[in-house]
Amino acid sequence: IYGSGVQIGTGWQAFTSYGLTDFNGDNRPDIIAANSTTGILWCYPMNPDGTIGTSSQIATGW
């Protein structure tokens, strides 16, 4: 059902919660990740070529 896994980066252990959703409305799943140490919620948008784009802070207090 699923293909082989692909490494998408390093340093993900800093995050305590993850999710996939089309946060920016471009019909591609974006990664939403929360860091409970800093309380910052980040969005990692999916690029058209399937790579992960530059992150942006979307909220605090998480």
Side-chain angles (χ1 to χ4, degrees), residues 5-54:
V6 176
Q7 182 173 336
I8 59 172
T10 60
W12 294 97
Q13 69 275 10
F15 299 105
T16 54
S17 300
Y18 306 89
L20 291 173
T21 188
D22 181 13
F23 185 78
N24 58 12
D26 63 0
N27 294 317
R28 290 187 294 272
D30 306 310
I31 299 172
I32 306 298
N35 182 319
S36 66
T37 302
T38 63
I40 298 174
L41 185 65
W42 297 91
C43 177
Y44 292 81
M46 189 68 62
N47 292 324
D49 65 359
T51 60
I52 298 174
T54 304

